[in-house]
Amino acid sequence: MKLVDATAALAPAAVPAAATVLDVVDWRRRTAALYAAVREQAAQDPAAAHARWVAGRDALLASHPASPVLPDDRAGFTGVPVAPYDPAFRFVVALEPGAPQHRDVATGTDGVVPFERIGTVRLGDLGTLDVWALRTYGGGVFLPLLDATCGLPDPADAPGTAAYGGGRYVLDTIKGADLGGAPDALVVDLNFAYNPSCAYDPAWACPLPGEGNTLAAPVPVGERAPAAHA
């Protein structure tokens, strides 16, 4: 599995300015608040929660100072293409045991970040995905996804349907992207698969899904590729 910057941190810099650091703190705070509202609403109405998530993500990407959308692109930013909600791609699944794997990932700003595979989740006929733990201060669960729609050109009759070629993230709990679950299960709703920061700005380094996080089947829901990367 090829992992790059496990925290999708800001592009390497000598010493980040205090304002930049606080912008990132606020981004994560707002992201966590958005997902908290989504989790509560999704218990009764997942489709409405998804619409709330789409609107919240677009607002952050369009105007927040820590947005990965390049400043020159924000004026024309009208939102990320997102497929309509499909309940068939929502799963509440147990974490199944898997052979341990360990990765030490060199990052631009956080030194070497350790990842460990803690198990797998089985998503019906789609197959299984590895679930990773970030073994550093704060911890977190990380679930990336690469599927058969990633990196394909858009069909002429269906623009905006291809997904970003580098893959997408479903869960990244250290940054607040947490869809909930129970002590013995996770909510894995692929409708909430979202583009990593490197989909908007190549200066960001992002973890890439490896073999254990690749599905041969298409996942036609969630965020699609930004226009410049379709």
Side-chain angles (χ1 to χ4, degrees):
M1 175 175 182
K2 182 181 178 183
L3 291 177
V4 187
D5 183 348
T7 58
L10 291 173
V15 178
T20 299
V21 173
L22 292 179
D23 286 341
V24 174
V25 169
D26 187 67
W27 172 277
R28 294 189 179 184
R29 184 184 298 128
R30 290 172 185 267
T31 297
L34 175 61
Y35 274 87
V38 163
R39 286 194 300 273
E40 181 176 1
Q41 188 170 16
Q44 302 297 325
D45 191 342
H50 182 255
R52 183 176 196 163
W53 174 79
V54 170
R57 282 271 297 166
D58 279 347
L60 284 169
L61 289 168
S63 61
H64 196 281
S67 170
V69 176
L70 294 170
D72 289 346
D73 295 336
R74 291 180 194 173
F77 181 79
T78 58
V80 181
V82 183
Y85 189 85
D86 185 341
F89 288 88
R90 176 181 170 90
F91 303 89
V92 181
V93 287
L95 184 64
E96 300 180 6
Q101 291 186 25
H102 181 88
R103 296 281 188 257
D104 285 324
V105 182
T107 73
T109 57
D110 295 319
V112 176
V113 177
F115 271 106
E116 290 183 6
R117 188 174 76 165
I118 56 173
T120 63
V121 286
R122 187 172 303 277
L123 307 182
D125 294 337
L126 293 175
T128 62
L129 293 174
D130 289 341
V131 180
W132 298 83
L134 181 62
R135 296 301 194 192
T136 191
Y137 184 77
V141 169
F142 179 58
L143 179 59
L145 167 69
L146 190 77
D147 71 274
T149 70
C150 292
L152 295 178
D154 269 346
D157 60 344
T161 57
Y164 175 59
R168 296 174 289 169
Y169 299 164
V170 181
L171 303 176
D172 190 359
T173 65
I174 200 169
K175 300 189 195 69
D178 178 6
L179 296 173
D184 59 349
L186 288 171
V187 174
V188 179
D189 191 335
L190 301 181
N191 292 278
F192 290 84
Y194 66 95
N195 298 318
S197 297
C198 50
Y200 306 96
D201 182 354
W204 288 62
C206 302
L208 302 179
E211 183 178 354
N213 289 90
T214 300
L215 298 176
V219 178
V221 294
E223 289 187 351
R224 317 317 294 167
H229 299 273

